[in-house]
Amino acid sequence: MLKKWGKRVGYGIGDLGCNLVFSTMASYLMVFYTDVFGISAAAAGTMMLVTKFIDAFTDTGMGLIVDRTHTKWGQGRPYFVIGAVPFAVFTVLTFIIPDFSGTGKLIWAYVTYCLLCTAYTVVNIPLNTIVPRLTSDVHERDILVSTRMVCAMAGTAIVMTITSPLVNFFGQGNEARGYLIAMTIYGIAAMLIFFVTFASTKEVVPPTISQKHSSLKEDFKGLTGQAWILFLLNLFYFSLYVVRSTTVIYYFKYNLGREDWLSLVGILGILSGLPMLLLLPELEKHFSKRNLMFFSAALYVAGDLVIFAGKNSAFCLLLGLVITGLGIYGIFGITFSMQPDVIDYSEYKKNASVAGLIAAFQGFFVKGGMGLTSFIIGAFLKSGGYVANAVQTEKALSYIEICFIWIPIVLCAAIAVLTYFYKLDGMRKEMTEALEARRGGSL
């Protein structure tokens, strides 16, 4: 049992390492660029859109590389070591503010952010692909995924809870210095975590077929309709994540005038999802992933409406954050627990081992969605008349409210509609038996 938990935690903390930087980018990077680095909201939003789409294509390339990697350490594990140091270096460079002109600073932001996103791809795509290679036991996979989600949530909680205090402590009034030191700490911590993940995991379940000599066209034929549902679920979930993580800062700072609550908001909005993630493996024994996704999306909408209706009540605000936390992490955990099933379905239905390509397309839609969402938020705030570090107009405040309350409700509705077409819950046993038979040479 101790060995099992060593593997589970070793795998899971890989996403803690990723999220120390990923969550900072989602929650603080827009504010850092507009209020500290010194570029406009529109320029920052445009940069995130352009760089995310560039990064989305690097995800595809990384997925193809993983599918064609065959070493004694496995297909995905070597990249935890390969990407660890660049990830730390580019984290630091992204938060350096050079003494350049406005155009020079923007170019610096584009280049460093692109490099950081590429380093993130090198470690994160393999993290997404290796669960089916770590075990063929469905329940154990669910535990691995839930452990990873708990660790990811812990990373996000750390970022939302201590980033501002760290910036203030190290900056002593100089936010640029504060961000740089805080992100250096996060980058080094992430690097060390990736080394631990490499040492703690082992790929023991081989694919039933090798893609080593397959063409890109053949790989694409291995994608199923269920894979495309998964890709779109990732797009809408991470769009929801970016909207919530980014606009919660604006909403509490400007609309509610409660900037001092942000650390508490981070704790409640994130750690409130812990019970959901801990219960998911057991819930998935009794309920379909499809129904659990419907329930989680409905929870988020209910929490959002509580926040809207009770904006003048501290109790309602905090209760709403707890409920939305349960909902968003339910969506998060279920989306990732669907991935091993979708990977197996391609092997089962198409006789194609395309775990890397599936993870790559997930990354493509995640980062495309994040980039597009950041662009929309930046453009939307600009059209509403948002001015950084100023008293906002009624129009600007209403636009911030739309971003924080109503756009997430639309995204939850889209998630529910997509989930209606997910059909792998009823096929899990059949797929497992067929794939095990192929590995045993029975077919």
Side-chain angles (χ1 to χ4, degrees):
M1 180 58 71
L2 188 62
K3 186 177 180 181
K4 274 190 175 182
W5 274 107
K7 180 180 72 173
R8 292 166 182 171
V9 174
Y11 169 71
I13 62 171
D15 221 9
L16 188 154
C18 288
N19 262 32
L20 285 177
V21 176
F22 180 87
S23 293
T24 305
M25 290 192 293
S27 300
Y28 286 93
L29 197 58
M30 176 73 83
V31 174
F32 171 77
Y33 278 140
T34 58
D35 294 11
V36 183
F37 196 88
I39 57 179
S40 70
T46 301
M47 185 201 72
M48 289 185 178
L49 175 65
V50 172
T51 54
K52 283 298 181 186
F53 276 106
I54 293 171
D55 189 39
F57 284 102
T58 66
D59 277 0
T60 305
M62 188 64 203
L64 295 172
I65 290 170
V66 169
D67 282 337
R68 287 158 176 77
T69 298
H70 300 281
T71 73
K72 64 181 181 181
W73 300 287
Q75 289 185 287
R77 285 178 65 229
Y79 296 104
F80 299 141
V81 174
I82 293 169
V85 174
F87 187 80
V89 171
F90 296 136
T91 295
V92 175
L93 291 178
T94 299
F95 285 85
I96 287 176
I97 304 176
D99 187 19
F100 295 161
S101 65
T103 301
K105 288 173 70 175
L106 190 58
I107 292 171
W108 175 269
Y110 267 87
V111 172
T112 55
Y113 187 49
C114 266
L115 290 171
L116 175 56
C117 289
T118 300
Y120 177 86
T121 293
V122 172
V123 293
N124 192 254
I125 292 293
L127 197 67
N128 287 338
T129 65
I130 66 171
V131 170
R133 305 292 161 244
L134 298 178
T135 178
S136 58
D137 182 270
V138 175
H139 183 57
E140 179 63 18
R141 287 180 179 183
D142 289 339
I143 294 174
L144 282 166
V145 170
S146 289
T147 304
R148 177 187 173 185
M149 296 304 101
V150 169
C151 291
M153 182 191 67
T156 303
I158 289 169
V159 167
M160 293 298 293
T161 304
I162 72 169
T163 299
S164 289
L166 281 178
V167 170
N168 293 334
F169 176 77
F170 289 115
Q172 295 294 310
N174 183 337
E175 284 190 291
R177 183 177 63 189
Y179 270 107
L180 179 58
I181 296 174
M183 295 313 300
T184 299
I185 293 170
Y186 287 169
I188 293 171
M191 177 185 69
L192 297 176
I193 285 169
F194 296 139
F195 292 148
V196 173
T197 298
F198 172 82
S200 304
T201 54
K202 186 176 182 181
E203 297 181 40
V204 296
V205 181
T208 58
I209 186 171
S210 172
Q211 299 298 112
K212 190 172 182 179
H213 302 295
S214 65
S215 67
L216 181 59
K217 183 178 180 181
E218 288 171 333
D219 282 4
F220 273 88
K221 287 181 180 178
L223 297 177
T224 64
Q226 296 299 293
W228 289 102
I229 290 172
L230 178 68
F231 301 154
L232 290 171
L233 282 173
N234 274 270
L235 185 151
F236 288 121
Y237 166 73
F238 278 95
S239 294
L240 174 65
Y241 173 80
V242 169
V243 171
R244 173 188 170 85
S245 299
T246 302
T247 60
V248 68
I249 298 172
Y250 291 100
Y251 189 74
F252 273 78
K253 180 177 180 178
Y254 295 111
N255 291 57
L256 303 181
R258 291 173 170 171
E259 188 177 4
D260 57 317
W261 276 31
L262 286 178
S263 290
L264 177 62
V265 167
I267 294 171
L268 285 179
I270 297 166
L271 293 185
S272 60
L274 181 59
M276 179 67 79
L277 292 177
L278 293 175
L279 286 172
L280 268 181
E282 191 62 31
L283 289 172
E284 287 168 338
K285 286 183 178 179
H286 305 286
F287 303 98
S288 68
K289 292 181 174 73
R290 190 169 177 261
N291 287 339
L292 288 171
M293 184 71 90
F294 288 145
F295 176 68
S296 298
L299 262 183
Y300 190 96
V301 171
D304 238 10
L305 293 177
V306 169
I307 292 172
F308 175 72
K311 66 182 70 175
N312 296 318
S313 163
F315 174 78
C316 287
L317 285 171
L318 299 178
L319 176 64
L321 286 169
V322 170
I323 297 172
T324 56
L326 287 168
I328 198 167
Y329 277 96
I331 296 169
F332 185 33
I334 297 159
T335 299
F336 277 87
S337 72
M338 288 176 173
Q339 187 202 41
D341 294 342
V342 170
I343 290 171
D344 279 354
Y345 187 61
S346 283
E347 277 196 57
Y348 168 75
K349 188 77 173 177
K350 301 279 191 174
N351 200 33
S353 176
V354 288
L357 187 63
I358 288 171
F361 266 92
Q362 278 186 271
F364 183 98
F365 278 83
V366 165
K367 291 175 181 171
M370 289 179 69
L372 183 60
T373 303
S374 295
F375 172 77
I376 290 171
I377 290 172
F380 199 68
L381 291 178
K382 181 183 178 182
S383 66
Y386 168 77
V387 178
N389 301 313
V391 176
Q392 306 301 321
T393 65
E394 286 299 318
K395 182 180 179 182
L397 293 175
S398 68
Y399 275 49
I400 292 172
E401 183 178 271
I402 290 170
C403 285
F404 182 66
I405 300 291
W406 301 110
I407 291 177
I409 289 176
V410 173
L411 290 171
C412 284
I415 287 168
V417 170
L418 276 170
T419 303
Y420 177 80
F421 297 99
Y422 181 77
K423 66 178 185 180
L424 297 186
D425 290 309
M427 301 178 64
R428 183 60 265 180
K429 183 178 178 182
E430 176 186 340
M431 287 192 297
T432 300
E433 290 175 352
L435 292 173
E436 286 299 314
R438 290 181 197 175
R439 291 187 186 103
S442 300
L443 291 181

